[in-house]
Amino acid sequence: MSEQYVRDLLEIAETDGAVVGGKGAHLGGLSRIEGVRVPGGFCVTTDAFRRIMAEAPSSGELLDQLSRVDPDDREAIRTLGARIRRIIEDLAIPDDLAAAITGALARFGEWEAYAVRSSATAEDLPTASFAGQQDTYLNVVGPAAVLRHVSRCWASLFTERAVAYRRRNGIDHRAVHMAVVVQRMVFPQAAGVLFTADPVTGNRKVATVDAGFGLGEALVSGLVNPDVFTVRDGEVVARTIAAKECAVQALPGGGTREVAIDAERQGQPALTDAQVVRLVQLGRRIEAHFGRAQDIEWCLTDDGFQIVQSRPITTLFPVPESGDQENHVYVSVGHGQMMTDPMKPLGLSVWRLTAMVPMLEAGGRLFVDVTPRLAAPASRAGLLDVLGRGDPLTRDALETVLDRGDFVPSLPDAGPGGPPAGGVSAPMETDPALVTDLIERSRASIAALERDIRTQSGPALFDFLLEAFAEHKRVLGDPPNLQAIMAGMEATWWLNDKLGEWLGEKNAADTLTLSAPGNVTSEMGLALLDVADVIRPHPQVVEFLRGVEHVEDVEDGEDAAFLGELAKCTGGAEARDAIEAYLDRYGMRCVGEIDLTRPRWRERPTTLVPVILDHVRNFEPGAAERRFAHGREKAQKKERDVLARLRALPDGDRKADEARRMIDRVRTFIGYREYPKYGIVSRYFLYKQALLREAERLVQARVLPEKEDVFYLTFQEFREAVRAQAVDGRLIQQRKDAFRSYHALTPPRVLTSDGEAVTGAYRRDDVPAGALTGLPVSAGTIEGRARVILDMAKADLEAGDILVTTFTDPSWSPLFVGIAGLVTEVGGLMTHGAVIAREYGLPAVVGVEQATRLIRDGQRIRVHGTEGYVEILP
């Protein structure tokens, strides 16, 4: 029976996490690595914890209450957690369980000193370390004290911080069990933490060592600043030696205390360089064993290093697999596509199959390897120019890597860099008929897809889709399509550059492009104002929509039924028809729409309800037409003003003629900039509908429990599942767990093959102190209330509000008609939020790092859309 409750560390395998918790399993693995010394000890298993919880039936009701409590209700979490902890700590440990623990102690020495440490089953996982969420007790002496501290470790599963951590990570309280590690105490000369990768930059080739005198508790608790050593290629390349005024030492009878360090020792390093290098070599051996970068707690005694804990560093962004040992530089796709959230495997694989360039996956995001283009001088210049115009932070990050001189290889211009990064030149004439023709060709291609895909099923569907993906890429890569896109962008750049040079005007094109014709995304935003006009006269409809707005977590089936229920209201049939017409044109859109698996508006029409209600409240009838006409008048007035001022300059007639031609050109083509994305998303919705029909067949055949489970398969895996009529359920669960963990990762703009996340900087000296720097993308200055909104479906806007969010894609456009300005963390000059902000004349600054954290919801801010910064007002 004792084996059920107690396991020696040497008997524990890394796969025993369910029995001994994450820390115990890692210590068992560490004990098996040659050359790694781990203090001896044992684990009190999760069976013992279950036994204790069974002895306290009243805890079950409290756990039920805890699972229902609001994650933000700190007081309720604190109160319920304290009650559960008190119950556990007050329970007498059953005799047989106590005998098993004290019997294990006897094998190591009953009156030796021990460290008693929590080891939860959801701790030290590859996806969530849970570091510091449960308790550790040092220098525990005597059987009674060990038993008392084992109870405290069990109870620590319900501290406020542990409960809150589980809620944030979506982990059920009942699914987590507590084991307890009991290890012989080490009394070190020095102790600390070794990171086998740089925890700040993510560089896997750099290790950092934090070290202090005495027990590591002084560092963990923040009593002293540690010595910090940086090691690369087996050499200490940087060191910071702290003044260590105190240390934590063990007391002879148990427990610990702070002691002062002699003045002459305070500035001495806790480790020599040779010891640091030896420790890092040990860390590399541990890292190789576990297969990923580690956060390692170590102790130094007279006879060398002992390892008391090792866990994965879960905050590092994964590195794309290159298949070689060469240096690579990767640029984020999500930052260009305004979608930095993780994507599910099916969405990732379909995007890769339809993309115009090869892409690599890491952390649920996509990256492009730009190393070949950076290596050749000519393609490097083009790449940096295009990326710099879109996002100066990405350009600066790439230049930071290039400035190191030895990371990116140098290749001749004829190297494998492909065509210049600047894209296709734009020789096409300024003719609106060319744009009309491109749109008609795209519509015809989509109509053919919609017609033909209906007849496809089974393995034949996947063959058909591969052909459809080829047509998808052909339409996108059609030279006239690329030329039209570039024509609008290049005309914008020309106007901003030349009018800045000739007239001293910044971002003049922002006003000149107001209400440009043919922009399907800005039309989408204005069209929802027309829907609001239909709804506004019908109070019963408005009241019904308010009820829908406040329903949380609407299921797909209920969402689809909501339009039918709407029609039962007075005026509801007219409102339903208006929404249906809107969805017929724009229902394929949604937030994060490059991920095919995301629910579309047609699938979740209630997503639009908060925006419709804001429009009903904040606008008068006919607002869409008035806004468009007002924007067009401002653009025309600006054109007249610019041309008149140019004619007054030396050689003014030539300059005015050139500017007029470019204004015509930008207004002809800039609206089309949004159409190819509309075409992509239209095709995506058709792909998704066909794939979901196939998934439904797998559910009916009992191959899958839920049709959305196919979202966790790649396209190729889905195809094989249909062919074989079989799916690996464990793979799907692993993918779900991984996807959940990816939400905690922040994707970098630029990532190297060393794992380093390179952060660019604006390097500007024209921004007031305390202001937040960004990229100016839509001219003007506006002051108002900041509304920090991370979920479009939860928007609640008043006239004059300034939208602050992480990123916006075209699906956010309906919000733009109701705001006064825009601030985003991600974006560039030609990304969707910037284009639509200019269309609507909204001052906008994008690329503001950590804007949603630094700006609080409700604060007053001033957005300088011409200069590119944001002031937080008192």
Side-chain angles (χ1 to χ4, degrees):
M1 178 64 74
S2 65
E3 291 181 1
Q4 178 184 353
Y5 296 134
V6 174
R7 296 272 292 274
D8 192 290
L9 286 181
L10 293 172
E11 299 170 351
I12 294 170
E14 291 158 43
T15 54
D16 289 338
V19 178
V20 297
K23 188 179 286 115
H26 273 75
L27 284 168
L30 281 168
S31 301
R32 287 176 161 74
I33 304 174
E34 186 178 350
V36 175
R37 297 173 57 213
V38 177
F42 59 91
C43 266
V44 182
T45 68
T46 54
D47 283 339
F49 175 77
R50 287 191 195 80
R51 171 87 179 273
I52 286 295
M53 295 301 285
E55 298 273 338
S58 60
S59 65
E61 170 60 28
L62 293 174
L63 276 176
D64 288 339
Q65 291 180 43
L66 201 58
S67 66
R68 293 191 296 266
V69 76
D70 188 314
D72 295 324
D73 189 345
R74 302 287 294 273
E75 185 58 37
I77 289 174
R78 186 181 301 118
T79 302
L80 288 168
R83 288 174 65 186
I84 297 172
R85 291 199 306 277
R86 195 158 49 246
I87 289 169
I88 294 171
E89 289 188 36
D90 288 349
L91 269 176
I93 299 176
D95 291 343
D96 60 331
L97 176 49
I101 296 171
T102 55
L105 275 178
R107 293 197 297 275
F108 290 93
E110 271 190 348
W111 294 95
E112 294 288 337
Y114 291 91
V116 183
R117 314 168 74 194
S118 308
S119 179
T121 54
E123 189 175 26
D124 292 354
L125 302 177
T127 56
S129 74
F130 278 63
Q133 297 310 309
Q134 282 85 44
D135 289 346
T136 287
Y137 302 96
L138 301 177
N139 200 31
V140 180
V141 179
V146 169
L147 289 173
R148 187 167 61 252
H149 286 88
V150 167
S151 290
R152 289 181 178 176
C153 283
W154 287 330
S156 74
L157 193 63
F158 300 101
T159 61
E160 181 185 348
R161 66 182 183 274
V163 171
Y165 192 97
R166 287 196 293 276
R167 290 305 300 265
R168 284 198 302 273
N169 285 272
I171 295 170
D172 182 359
H173 301 303
R174 292 181 180 274
V176 183
H177 301 105
M178 180 66 83
V180 181
V181 174
V182 181
Q183 273 181 292
R184 291 186 71 159
M185 188 70 189
V186 178
F187 301 101
Q189 301 154 4
V193 180
L194 157 64
F195 296 97
T196 64
D198 188 315
V200 177
T201 69
N203 194 320
R204 307 313 198 261
K205 292 188 176 179
V206 172
T208 63
V209 175
D210 290 4
F213 294 125
L215 293 168
E217 189 67 18
L219 304 188
V220 173
S221 61
L223 281 176
V224 297
N225 290 324
D227 296 340
V228 180
F229 301 88
T230 303
V231 178
R232 183 173 186 132
D233 298 328
E235 181 183 351
V236 176
V237 294
R239 69 181 63 73
T240 302
I241 307 304
K244 300 170 286 296
E245 296 179 357
C246 65
V248 174
Q249 291 184 349
L251 292 168
T256 61
R257 67 171 181 179
E258 292 177 37
V259 296
I261 295 175
D262 294 340
E264 64 271 15
R265 286 190 66 214
Q266 289 179 8
Q268 293 178 5
L271 296 177
T272 66
D273 282 7
Q275 288 171 328
V276 169
V277 170
R278 192 159 68 248
L279 176 61
V280 170
Q281 289 170 345
L282 200 60
R284 293 293 181 212
R285 192 177 303 169
I286 294 168
E287 177 184 65
H289 176 84
F290 288 116
R292 58 186 301 161
Q294 297 288 300
D295 166 358
I296 299 167
E297 293 181 22
W298 56 268
C299 295
L300 176 67
T301 58
D302 286 335
D303 54 354
F305 288 104
Q306 296 196 52
I307 305 300
V308 295
Q309 185 171 338
S310 183
R311 56 176 167 252
I313 307 175
T314 59
T315 55
L316 299 180
F317 200 87
V319 182
E321 293 184 9
S322 64
D324 60 40
Q325 298 301 310
E326 302 299 319
N327 288 346
H328 295 270
V329 181
Y330 306 103
V331 169
S332 165
V333 172
H335 284 80
Q337 289 294 332
M338 298 300 93
M339 165 52 179
T340 55
D341 290 345
M343 297 169 67
K344 292 174 184 165
L346 186 62
L348 284 166
S349 63
V350 170
W351 186 262
R352 291 174 73 177
L353 286 166
T354 54
M356 302 303 290
V357 295
M359 294 180 180
L360 300 161
E361 184 272 332
R365 280 81 167 186
L366 291 170
F367 294 84
V368 173
D369 185 352
V370 296
T371 319
R373 285 185 172 177
L374 286 177
S379 58
R380 178 193 310 150
L383 177 71
L384 292 174
D385 182 55
V386 169
L387 290 178
R389 286 181 181 275
D391 182 5
L393 293 177
T394 297
R395 174 175 183 146
D396 189 76
L398 290 174
E399 289 178 332
T400 298
V401 176
L402 288 168
D403 287 346
R404 294 171 185 167
D406 59 351
F407 190 83
V408 177
S410 181
L411 296 175
D413 286 334
V424 177
S425 58
M428 60 166 40
E429 58 184 301
T430 303
D431 181 357
L434 295 173
V435 173
T436 303
D437 180 58
L438 283 169
I439 291 173
E440 286 307 314
R441 284 156 64 179
S442 176
R443 285 176 177 164
S445 176
I446 292 167
L449 172 65
E450 186 172 15
R451 180 189 68 236
D452 296 341
I453 203 169
R454 291 176 185 153
T455 62
Q456 305 296 324
S457 65
L461 169 65
F462 294 84
D463 295 334
F464 173 86
L465 283 172
L466 288 174
E467 293 178 8
F469 296 164
E471 166 67 4
H472 179 128
K473 292 167 75 169
R474 187 200 64 75
V475 171
L476 281 179
D478 191 21
N481 177 57
L482 299 176
Q483 289 164 358
I485 292 170
M486 290 305 299
M489 292 169 65
E490 289 177 346
T492 301
W493 298 337
W494 188 96
L495 285 166
N496 281 336
D497 290 347
K498 290 297 184 181
L499 296 182
E501 176 189 339
W502 293 338
L503 298 176
E505 285 231 8
K506 284 190 175 180
N507 304 324
D510 294 359
T511 306
L512 293 167
T513 54
L514 288 171
S515 297
N519 187 318
V520 69
T521 307
S522 61
E523 289 168 359
M524 175 175 71
L526 295 173
L528 206 61
L529 284 172
D530 293 334
V531 173
D533 286 353
V534 174
I535 288 169
R536 191 178 291 105
H538 303 294
Q540 196 175 5
V541 171
V542 173
E543 196 58 35
F544 174 82
L545 293 179
R546 284 181 181 146
V548 170
E549 181 185 26
H550 294 105
V551 175
E552 296 283 342
D553 301 322
V554 179
E555 297 292 330
D556 280 356
E558 297 169 12
D559 206 321
F562 124 84
L563 289 172
E565 293 298 313
L566 172 65
K568 298 175 184 177
C569 302
T570 302
E574 189 181 352
R576 177 202 59 198
D577 292 346
I579 294 173
E580 285 278 12
Y582 186 86
L583 293 172
D584 286 344
R585 180 140 170 79
Y586 304 112
M588 77 294 288
R589 310 220 81 146
C590 68
V591 173
E593 60 194 9
I594 70 170
D595 182 354
L596 174 138
T597 71
R598 289 286 191 105
R600 310 283 139 174
W601 289 345
R602 171 54 79 181
E603 297 167 314
R604 296 262 181 95
T606 53
T607 304
L608 295 170
V609 168
V611 190
I612 292 172
L613 288 172
D614 282 347
H615 290 353
V616 167
R617 184 175 67 249
N618 296 330
F619 291 93
E620 297 295 324
E625 186 176 345
R626 285 196 303 276
R627 284 181 69 104
F628 189 82
H630 179 66
R632 187 175 54 218
E633 288 166 10
K634 280 188 71 174
Q636 290 168 346
K637 181 181 177 184
K638 183 70 171 179
E639 179 179 358
R640 290 192 297 270
D641 173 65
V642 163
L643 296 180
R645 288 164 61 198
L646 286 174
R647 289 191 184 100
L649 298 175
D651 198 19
D653 287 343
R654 178 189 63 79
K655 290 173 180 174
D657 287 345
E658 285 186 33
R660 182 183 51 76
R661 284 196 298 273
M662 281 299 176
I663 293 169
D664 289 345
R665 192 166 182 78
V666 81
R667 293 191 67 81
T668 296
F669 290 112
I670 200 65
Y672 182 72
R673 167 73 177 76
E674 293 291 298
Y675 197 85
K677 185 71 170 287
Y678 176 79
I680 290 171
V681 177
S682 298
R683 298 178 74 93
Y684 263 38
F685 191 37
L686 296 173
Y687 303 155
K688 181 181 184 180
Q689 289 174 308
L691 289 168
L692 281 178
R693 289 193 292 269
E694 208 55 48
E696 187 58 50
R697 294 185 186 99
L698 291 179
V699 172
Q700 291 169 1
R702 299 183 182 277
V703 174
L704 279 178
E706 305 276 348
K707 65 181 180 181
E708 286 82 7
D709 284 351
V710 298
F711 294 163
Y712 298 94
L713 300 174
T714 65
F715 180 85
Q716 294 82 355
E717 289 165 348
F718 189 0
R719 183 183 193 178
E720 179 58 23
V722 169
R723 188 198 65 76
Q725 290 292 290
V727 171
D728 183 350
R730 289 171 304 177
L731 175 66
I732 288 176
Q733 188 56 52
Q734 288 168 6
R735 296 271 178 80
K736 287 181 178 180
D737 293 342
F739 178 72
R740 190 181 302 115
S741 75
Y742 293 154
H743 283 279
L745 300 174
T746 301
R749 283 175 165 82
V750 172
L751 181 66
T752 73
S753 49
D754 285 351
E756 183 180 4
V758 188
T759 304
Y762 285 106
R763 307 190 191 282
R764 292 171 52 187
D765 55 10
D766 59 341
V767 174
L772 308 180
T773 309
L775 180 66
V777 295
S778 186
T781 301
I782 192 71
E783 183 178 314
R785 179 179 67 158
R787 295 311 315 267
V788 180
I789 297 173
L790 303 180
D791 181 350
M792 176 182 158
K794 296 178 180 176
D796 181 14
L797 296 164
E798 299 286 350
D801 284 348
I802 297 169
L803 173 62
V804 180
T805 190
T806 48
F807 59 82
T808 63
D809 59 13
S811 70
W812 287 72
S813 300
L815 287 185
F816 282 31
V817 300
I819 60 176
L822 173 70
V823 179
T824 68
E825 294 181 350
V826 177
L829 193 61
M830 284 297 169
T831 49
H832 305 281
V835 171
I836 305 308
R838 290 194 292 273
E839 282 275 322
Y840 291 163
L842 305 175
V845 180
V846 302
V848 180
E849 294 276 81
Q850 299 188 42
T852 59
R853 296 182 184 90
L854 298 173
I855 300 171
R856 292 195 311 275
D857 186 52
Q859 277 187 314
R860 288 197 67 78
I861 62 173
R862 187 180 297 124
V863 178
H864 296 261
T866 306
E867 306 295 334
Y869 62 90
V870 180
E871 291 180 287
I872 300 175
L873 303 176

